[in-house]
Amino acid sequence: MNFYIVTLIKTGLIAVVLLTFCAYLVWIERKVLAHIQLRQGPYRVGPHGLLQPLSDLIKLVTKEGVIPANVNMFYYLLAPFLSVALALISIAVIPFGPVVEVFGVQTQMGLTDLDIGVLVVLAMSSLGVYGMVIGGWASNSKYSLMGSLRSSAQMVSYELPMAMAIVAPLLLVNTLSFREIAAAQEGFYLGFLPKWTVFAGPFPQAFSFLLFMIAAFAETNRVPFDLPEAETELVAGFHTEYSSTMFAAFFTAEYASITTICCVASLLFLGGWHPLWPAEYGSDFVPVVLFLGVALILFFHAAQSVRARMWDRFTFPVFGLLMLGLAGLFLVPLLKPLLIPLFWFAAKTGLLIFIFIWIRGTLPRFRYDQLMRFAWLTLLPAAVVNLLVTGLAVALTTN
Amino acid sequence: MPPELTQLLPASVPLSWYLVLSAILFSLGIAGFLFRRNIITVFMSIELMLNAVNLTFVAFSYHLKQVDGHIFSFFVMVVAAAEAAVGLAIILTVFKNRATLEIDEVSSMKL
Amino acid sequence: MDALLFLTFAGIAVLCAINLVLQTHPISSALSLVGVMGSLAVLYLLLGGAFIAAVQLIVYAGAVMVLFLFVIMLLNAQAERTTSKSAMRAWVSVPLLFTFVILLASLIIQRAPAGAAVKFGEFTGGSVANVGRALFTTYLLPFEVTSILILIAILGAVVLARKEI
């Protein structure tokens, strides 16, 4: 019975956190893009637009859901549901930290730990195509159909290099369970270089990491590979005909799959929740220093608030106090084993998500034939060679 | 689960249930293969039959406590993937030359 | 719990398979086939075949069926028209199919190994490690031959799909 209660609590917690994060990811993305383009981004709703996701949600839910004439109703309604369900499932196999003890209950941070965890993520990402394909086909519009044709071809093509880039670090860690993958990357070479697969011998997986990230951009249909929804050519691609909640479902699915794939990347290549340098050299104090720094900056700007931003004088100290509280939490010895791994995991994943947004603000879109040629003639051979070299290195060093 | 329900359902499933399921799926595959006249649907019925056979392999692999059945179904999947690639290319070519997917209309080899 | 899971997913599989046969539009048939494959993957998990379940989803549902959908959408395949001939076929064949299934089932129940029961968790030989070991030792030659088969299939597909034949 205990197991059911703990699992229910964890499921609720992860669902709430993930969905809230997906909503705020939109805000973060708009802010980062705006600052790249020397704009301010969302600013009206709440301090610095912080309540924008909430108002977006209210807007999307209360809008009229227009269902175009001559759509295939069953599949039209099925597609967004399928999309969001398949995008959210794979978070279940991802651990966010080691096994911890909370209130006397020993539990793992994360929903479950399968010994085929990596395969489950691959399977869900390959099934994720269906949401787009069905949605595009059922909409009965040429733009949607073109978008979904492109997406199915693109995702099937990029799955191959992605799978091969995943297999290479798996050769080093010898397991398919995410928990064991992260556990295998614990420890340091020479006392300071972490044993993450990007650094690990016999063949550091930095190149696989690069290949994986490129394929991940294509899998999640992000710039520069967002051909399925190229708005200059296809209006909005496969979700052209969707509005209201159904559009929100597609949106959530996209951001959930970005989050998942960044979690997978940080687990496979960046050592999961293991810190960048040993705790003896004070890696435990990184979050404290970080949040303290943020709090100080906030206090400074509150004191020096620009005239045009009157509200900063009142809101910044509040957020500064929040950050101080967070910094203090990381010093509580009872919470430390829980929060420190979570911090490192979130930091790595967040950094990767930031790279996703950064590249969206920087790179132009590929042309469609370039996209396919790149997948088959550049990425796939590179992944095969990388896999061969890794295999050879592993075979030569282990007996 | 309430206790009445657990008594109603057996704790373990007889192996024959899996085999019967496989037989039903296989028969439905045959039915689709014979009824449907769209080449692609016919092709999908063949895939359904292959899937049914795979279920038998895996079920017997459980019964014999050996991994070989899994290997067989793995090979079946590989062959199915190869078959799908070639088969769909053939369908594309047929469609290009005849502009139809009806299997009855592709009959110029008939006597 | 085992029986419940089996009955649920067997039911889904059979319903989807019936839908595959009955639907006239190829896209509906293809999606029903995906449903069959998904529920079969769950049944493989119940039978202790974790690897084969994952491969079922990745290769069959995720790649082969997407290829089918792609071709259906590319060719803009329309629903089949019903003809008088097809209606007659259905009248004749549905009873035949039923008899065939009942015969087959009774034969299986008669001949199936007595007392053989499937309980989840009793056989875990289908894990990735075990399948991999068998593939690369006992079945190494067939495994390598399949790679040649796939190569030939790729070449065949490229040649067929190229230009005019």
Side-chain angles (χ1 to χ4, degrees), chain C residues 26-69:
Chain C
I27 290 238
S28 307
S29 299
L31 293 173
S32 335
L33 187 52
V34 176
V36 175
M37 286 166 176
S39 36
L40 282 188
V42 179
L43 295 182
Y44 292 164
L45 278 180
L46 284 179
L47 287 166
F51 175 74
I52 220 72
V55 171
Q56 167 95 354
L57 284 184
I58 295 172
V59 174
Y60 248 138
V64 173
M65 287 319 292
V66 172
L67 202 62
F68 270 95
L69 276 185

Side-chain angles (χ1 to χ4, degrees), chain A residues 174-319:
Chain A
N174 262 326
T175 170
L176 286 172
S177 139
F178 277 114
R179 179 166 305 285
E180 286 168 27
I181 288 171
Q185 302 179 54
E186 197 177 3
F188 299 92
Y189 291 116
L190 308 171
F192 68 95
L193 189 65
K195 278 186 181 165
W196 303 351
T197 45
V198 266
F199 302 124
F203 184 67
Q205 292 301 312
F207 189 58
S208 317
F209 182 47
L210 184 70
L211 292 174
F212 178 82
M213 285 312 282
I214 294 173
F217 277 96
E219 279 290 304
T220 50
N221 294 318
R222 294 282 297 184
V223 178
F225 303 117
D226 63 338
L227 271 298
E229 42 189 300
E231 61 275 297
T232 43
E233 308 155 27
L234 292 178
V235 191
F238 63 92
H239 56 59
T240 305
E241 305 292 340
Y242 282 91
S243 52
S244 176
T245 353
M246 292 178 285
F247 173 73
F250 276 123
F251 220 61
T252 316
E254 183 180 334
Y255 283 93
S257 55
I258 291 172
T259 315
T260 315
I261 222 154
C262 287
C263 289
V264 170
S266 60
L267 278 167
L268 273 175
F269 297 98
L270 301 179
W273 53 83
H274 297 303
L276 186 54
W277 65 85
E280 300 95 74
Y281 302 131
S283 70
D284 283 2
F285 292 102
V286 172
V288 181
V289 173
L290 204 69
F291 285 116
L292 211 62
V294 174
L296 286 181
I297 292 172
L298 282 171
F299 285 137
F300 176 76
H301 279 291
Q304 309 245 325
S305 69
V306 190
R307 209 180 154 68
R309 299 177 178 177
M310 271 294 290
W311 282 104
D312 286 1
R313 195 172 301 167
F314 308 105
T315 54
F316 273 15
V318 177
F319 284 106

Side-chain angles (χ1 to χ4, degrees), chain A residues 56-67 76-85 239 241-254:
Chain A
D56 280 348
L57 185 73
I58 294 170
K59 182 195 80 176
L60 282 170
V61 171
T62 52
K63 250 185 177 176
E64 183 192 357
V66 181
I67 296 177
Y76 182 79
L77 296 177
L78 176 74
F81 169 73
L82 206 62
S83 229
V84 76
H239 56 59
E241 305 292 340
Y242 282 91
S243 52
S244 176
T245 353
M246 292 178 285
F247 173 73
F250 276 123
F251 220 61
T252 316
E254 183 180 334

Side-chain angles (χ1 to χ4, degrees), chain A residues 75 116 119 122-123 126-127 129-130 133-134 137 145 148-149 152-153 156 159 176, chain C residues 25 27-28 31 34 45 50-51 54 57-58 61-62 65-66 69-70 73-74 128:
Chain A
Y75 294 123
I116 50 164
L119 293 180
L122 273 179
S126 63
L127 288 183
V129 193
Y130 283 110
V133 171
I134 297 171
W137 175 77
L145 188 69
S148 62
L149 271 178
S152 56
V156 169
E159 235 149 57
L176 286 172
Chain C
H25 202 291
I27 290 238
S28 307
L31 293 173
V34 176
L45 278 180
F51 175 74
L57 284 184
I58 295 172
M65 287 319 292
V66 172
L69 276 185
F70 189 80
M73 280 165 34
L74 197 70
V128 182

Side-chain angles (χ1 to χ4, degrees), chain C residues 84-127:
Chain C
S84 56
K85 219 165 123 192
S86 61
M88 190 193 69
R89 268 189 230 172
W91 278 111
V92 178
S93 47
V94 168
L96 272 177
L97 182 73
F98 261 103
T99 0
F100 182 63
V101 169
I102 290 168
L103 272 178
L104 212 58
S106 57
L107 202 67
I108 286 169
I109 292 171
Q110 243 175 43
R111 295 290 179 85
V118 176
K119 201 159 166 38
F120 176 62
E122 268 185 11
F123 173 63
T124 50
S127 67

